[in-house]
Amino acid sequence: MSAQPWDVACEQALVGAVLLTGGACLDGLDDLEADEFYHPGSRATWTAIGRLRTRGEPADLVSVSAELRAMRQLDAVGGAAVRVRLARCEQVGEC
């Protein structure tokens, strides 16, 4: 079996790092587009992060969850609890 061209754990780690730092780790990631993520939850979350950044707002856990709610995507990505788990797994290194 050949390796897949995506890594969901890597996507989750990146999203978790953004949520944990309030977007402070986004420098140099301006070219990363939501459609480059494989997992639908990661795509929706990255879209929310991009919308917040465009408005000059922080991309922290609370803001991203609120933006996902405004986009009517929060339930589709598994709810706020999933975003908390992503931030926590980045913090402790266990997804």
Side-chain angles (χ1 to χ4, degrees), residues 3-83:
Q4 300 299 323
W6 62 82
D7 186 338
V8 173
C10 183
E11 290 181 10
Q12 291 176 339
L14 176 60
V15 169
V18 171
L19 296 176
L20 188 62
T21 65
C25 65
L26 287 169
D27 290 344
L29 296 175
D30 292 328
D31 293 333
L32 185 59
E33 299 290 333
D35 63 357
E36 296 179 71
F37 287 88
Y38 170 76
H39 191 272
S42 298
R43 281 196 302 271
T45 303
W46 200 257
T47 298
I49 290 167
R51 289 171 54 149
L52 290 166
R53 289 191 75 202
T54 297
R55 295 193 307 258
E57 298 177 23
D60 59 23
L61 182 59
V62 173
S63 299
V64 171
S65 294
E67 188 66 22
L68 285 164
R69 186 175 296 109
M71 295 167 50
R72 300 179 188 263
Q73 292 293 309
L74 186 59
D75 290 337
V77 301
V82 170
R83 303 301 97 190

